[in-house]
Each structure stands twice: as structure tokens, then as C-alpha cells.
Amino acid sequence: MTTTPENHAPENQALPPDILANFYSPDFIRDPYETLEKLRERTSAFYEPVMGRTVLLGWDDIETALRDRTYSRDPRNAAEDTLMARLRGQDERPGTSILFLDPPDHTRLRGLVNKAFTPRAVEAMRPRIEAIAEDLLDKVEGKPTWDLIEAFAAPLPTIVIAEMLGVDPKDQPQFKAWSDNLVKGLDPFISPEDQQRLDESRAALDAYLRAQIAGRRAQPRDDLLSALIVAEDEGHKLTEDELLGTVSLLLVAGNVTTTDLIGNGVHALLRHPDQKDLLRDDPSLIVNAVEEMLRYDSPVVLTGRIVMDDEVVTGCPVKKGHSLTPLLAAANHDPAVHADPHRFDIAREDPKHQSFGGGAHYCLGAPLARAEAQVAVTTLLRRFPNLHLAGPEPERRLLIGFRGFLSLPVAVD
Ligand code: HEM
């Protein structure tokens, strides 16, 4: 994949203007797949000047890029006017979030977080996730129509992570509000008003967490926050800043994404009633169904890497410090990998996808996200076997890089 570039003019691989015009349109955000197909016919990688990045479309190229250990995730390595440099302003405590670190710090921090956030801790949560799902659905029982996002898909992951961390239930609504504001930090075009809300929420969450951490240091409990505080590897522990960075990341990385997995997944089922009936009549299909939901309509559309030397990536010359954007959603619909990729088929054989990224940064929360979506969809279909969409096509959230619905009105009759 890597050769010496003959010239360093990424504009040579510029996107055709007709497609560029579409790339940031609400239509593209609503349905990127048609445009991605047109692009794929012309090229497998191109330079995109609006955000300053080279975009990759093919499954194999994306897999290789995600695993390439020479690439960086640390925005401090990003050249000016590139996508990863735009995220630098959001990194209030540089060097404390595993999402934006390279080895050896990444390896050390991720190892410490892994000691607390284990697959066993996630599996132990399953009965609680079921109880939370039932409680949320109790509240809409008897209503003819309701919003699946507001009533179910949004609160579920926040309550789950708040309970895992050990947040007092009475503080959970506040916790959710902070979390909703923090996620805007992943928007490279954040508005000044949202930035202000984000700054205020971050300060409030930090103060809240500092008090919680002090309490747990004095008196540890059986929760994730205490486990993070005591986690130790070869004499290392998380510093106070790293603890704050990690908890904020678990909130931001885990909430909107899992909400969108449940929202997009249920939307796909309700748009394909034969698939919904199939799953309702055979709930054992749920594991495969959630993988197909992740593949068919990925909640995270892209991730990023920084190229650390001038090189040619998939035919595109890329300069040192410039951003690569593996388009995970394009990989998931690559016809070289999946037959009939735009078909939603919960019984698809091997619905593999790259929705959790890959390599050293592969999503740490994947087991939790999967458990939550499996429980949420199974419980929903058991409680409301005749669920269907209410009203016209629901409205998508216009946050670049993420795909989900602002609201998803559903009906039961
Ligand atoms: C459907 C839900 C989710 C999706 C689609 C998703 C997707 C992703 C993606 C694409 C990455 C970047 C991987 C890369 O660049 O190679 C990532 C990283 C991460 N995710 Fe998730 N995620 C989800 C849920 C969660 C949850 C529930 C948590 C935790 C509560 C979580 C925690 C993290 C963390 C900590 C990282 C950083 C890992 C690292 O850089 O080493 N995610 N996720």
C-alpha cells in the first residue's frame, strides 16, 4: 500500500465537483449509499478538501489502514487544516483519552481500562439491561404512538453506563444531559452555541466526577468507577486526569452510538416487515440480526488516522500529518465482500462489518453495545410484536460521522 509519492498534490485526486456538492448535503447524510456507489465506480480513494482528508472506500484498503501501526490517532500530530487537527480543539486534556493516543501511552492506558471494563463485567450487566429495557417499555405501554428514540433508544445506554459506573440514580438525568452536550465535540463544524454548552457541561461533569472519585478513593464500592481507580498494571495506575478522560470517553463514545444502533436497527426492521416477522418468530436470530444492523446502517460512518510520513495510500499521495478517513459505512457495503450489499437480511451468512473500527483502536465497548442492542430489540419485539413506523420517513440527525435519528415515531395497533 505504501510507496514514495511522486508529487504531494492531493488535489490531483480531488473529488469530482458534482459529487463534492452532494457530499455535505442533508440528502447525503440521509442516504449516503447511492453516492458512495457512484464514487466507487470512479475511484477507491480520493482527496476531500472541505475537511482536508483522504477518504478510503474499499473493504481491503480500510482494513489495512485501520491495522497500520505506523499511523497515528493523536491530533497533536495533525497538520493544520486537516480533519484530525480540527478535533484538536476538543481535546481539553491532550494525552488522556485512549481514542486519541498512540503507543506506548495508548497501550498502557487501554490495558488499565480493560482491567475494569471486562467482557465479564458486561455479561454481568445483562440481567440489569433486561430490567432497564422492561422498565422503559412499561412507561409507553398503552400509548398508541410514541418516540422510540426518546422513550427507549436514548435513555437505555445512558442508564446502563451510569449504573455500571455507580452514578446515583437521582443524578442520571443530569448525567444524560451532560453526555448529550459532550458528544457535539465530535462534530468538526460545531456551532459557537453548542461549543459553549459543551464547555459548561464538561466543567460540570468534571466537578461531579472529581467528587465521586474522592468518595470512591475513601470508600471503594463494587462499581466500574472504583475498579478504574484501583486498576493497576506493572505499577501504573490511571492519573486523576486520565480517569476523568476515560469516564468522559465512555459516556461520549458509548451513548449516542448505541442509541443509533438501536434506532437504525429497529428502523431497518420496521422498513422490512418480513425481516421483523422473521426475528419476532425466531428470537435466536438476534445475534446475527444485530451484526446485520451494524453492517447495513452503521451508527459510526467513519474513523480517522494520521499519516506520519509522505506516502501514497491507495493511489493517493498523502503528506505527513494529513488525515485518512476510512469510510466504515462504505466498507460495509462493498460489493466485493457482500453479495447484494444494500439488502437488509438478518439471516445473511457472515454479515461481517467494520463498524467498530479495527486494529489497536478497535472499539472497547463493542461487547457492551452488542449486549444492549440484542436485549433492547428482543425485548421490544416481545412486548410489541405488531410495532410499526408511524408517520412519514423520520428525521436524521445531521452530525457528520454519525448516523442516527432525531426521533423515530412508532405505533402499536
Ligand atoms: C454501536 C455502538 C458503537 C459503535 C458503532 C462504536 C464504534 C467505535 C469506533 C468506530 C471506534 C474507533 C475505532 C477505530 O478507529 O479503529 C470506537 C472506539 C471506541 N469506543 Fe466504541 N462504538 C460503540 C459503542 C461503544 C460503547 C458502548 C463504548 C463504551 C461504553 C465504547 C467505547 C469506545 C472506546 C473507549 C473507544 C476508543 C478505543 C481506542 O481508541 O483504543 N464504544 N468505537
Side-chain angles (χ1 to χ4, degrees):
M1 170 147 138
T2 305
T3 56
T4 308
E6 285 170 7
N7 70 62
H8 296 164
E11 291 76 10
N12 286 356
Q13 272 71 37
L15 199 59
D18 54 323
I19 294 186
L20 181 59
N22 189 0
F23 213 63
Y24 287 97
S25 70
D27 280 349
F28 180 79
I29 291 175
R30 250 170 244 127
D31 179 10
Y33 295 107
E34 201 180 313
T35 305
L36 291 177
E37 276 332 298
K38 281 191 203 147
L39 271 170
R40 206 192 295 278
E41 283 162 18
R42 298 196 200 194
T43 181
S44 49
F46 59 88
Y47 180 69
E48 191 279 284
V50 177
M51 280 208 262
R53 57 191 178 144
T54 297
V55 180
L56 307 180
L57 298 171
W59 177 278
D60 287 344
D61 295 330
I62 288 177
E63 191 164 54
T64 309
L66 291 174
R67 290 185 181 171
D68 193 321
R69 299 283 175 129
T70 69
Y71 296 157
S72 170
R73 274 290 297 183
D74 189 335
R76 290 171 294 182
N77 290 325
E80 290 312 313
D81 295 327
T82 59
L83 172 58
M84 293 296 277
R86 281 174 228 276
L87 294 175
R88 200 157 45 206
Q90 299 303 337
D91 197 5
E92 198 194 43
R93 281 180 290 267
T96 63
S97 163
I98 47 178
L99 191 59
F100 295 125
L101 272 181
D102 296 329
D105 284 335
H106 176 262
T107 321
R108 177 182 60 81
L109 256 183
R110 187 163 167 135
L112 281 168
V113 178
N114 262 330
K115 284 192 178 275
F117 198 70
T118 58
R120 236 178 93 220
V122 169
E123 269 320 298
M125 270 308 278
R126 216 176 248 271
R128 271 305 298 151
I129 302 174
E130 281 163 6
I132 293 163
E134 297 281 5
D135 280 355
L136 290 169
L137 294 178
D138 283 347
K139 292 188 187 137
V140 291
E141 184 79 62
K143 291 191 182 176
T145 62
W146 41 280
D147 178 1
L148 183 106
I149 302 295
E150 193 190 1
F152 190 56
L156 185 117
T158 325
I159 297 174
V160 171
I161 194 73
E163 281 202 10
M164 284 185 87
L165 285 165
V167 171
D168 191 328
K170 80 171 165 30
D171 298 336
Q172 282 176 14
Q174 182 59 71
F175 212 61
K176 164 140 179 51
W178 289 329
S179 150
D180 286 350
N181 288 336
L182 283 179
V183 82
K184 309 248 172 66
L186 297 169
D187 181 355
F189 300 124
I190 186 169
S191 69
E193 300 77 41
D194 280 345
Q195 181 68 53
Q196 193 181 337
R197 268 193 288 273
L198 185 158
D199 292 340
E200 288 163 7
S201 292
R202 192 182 273 150
L205 177 66
D206 275 8
Y208 178 87
L209 287 176
R210 277 186 206 283
Q212 297 286 320
I213 291 168
R216 298 301 195 289
R217 283 198 201 284
Q219 209 169 9
R221 293 190 205 160
D222 183 18
D223 59 29
L224 179 57
L225 192 53
S226 304
L228 286 167
I229 292 170
V230 299
E232 192 169 336
D233 197 15
E234 294 178 1
H236 292 291
K237 284 189 165 196
L238 294 167
T239 64
E240 182 96 354
D241 270 359
E242 287 169 347
L243 270 171
L244 292 175
T246 301
V247 174
S248 306
L249 177 62
L250 293 179
L251 266 179
V252 171
N255 285 353
V256 77
T257 47
T258 311
T259 297
D260 290 348
L261 172 56
I262 298 169
N264 295 354
V266 171
H267 177 256
L269 281 177
L270 302 186
R271 276 256 163 267
H272 301 85
D274 61 320
Q275 299 294 301
K276 187 201 84 175
D277 294 349
L278 190 63
L279 183 57
R280 185 195 55 197
D281 298 343
D282 181 1
S284 74
L285 284 171
I286 189 65
V287 173
N288 209 66
V290 166
E291 297 312 300
E292 175 68 347
M293 290 168 186
L294 281 156
R295 183 200 72 80
Y296 177 76
D297 198 3
S298 180
V300 179
V301 175
L302 55 88
T303 184
R305 297 288 187 270
I306 301 165
V307 172
M308 295 303 287
D309 259 317
D310 291 359
E311 59 175 85
V312 175
V313 183
T314 317
C316 278
V318 183
K319 287 190 220 168
K320 178 176 181 208
H322 278 244
S323 299
L324 279 187
T325 295
L327 262 190
L328 308 171
N332 293 346
H333 283 239
D334 187 338
V337 175
H338 290 298
D340 205 356
H342 309 312
R343 187 165 50 89
F344 180 62
D345 174 4
I346 61 162
R348 184 185 284 276
E349 209 174 296
D350 193 14
K352 63 180 182 177
H353 57 80
Q354 309 217 19
S355 303
F356 290 124
H361 291 277
Y362 180 82
C363 176
L364 192 91
L368 179 60
R370 286 183 160 122
E372 291 182 57
Q374 290 162 9
V375 168
V377 176
T378 306
T379 314
L380 182 71
L381 288 189
R382 183 173 42 71
R383 293 280 297 264
F384 300 107
N386 296 324
L387 194 75
H388 57 88
L389 291 172
E393 184 58 18
E395 205 185 334
R396 290 264 177 197
R397 177 171 8 80
L398 299 181
L399 179 61
I400 283 164
F402 295 84
R403 236 177 111 63
F405 291 101
L406 283 173
S407 68
L408 188 58
V410 289
V412 271
D413 50 33

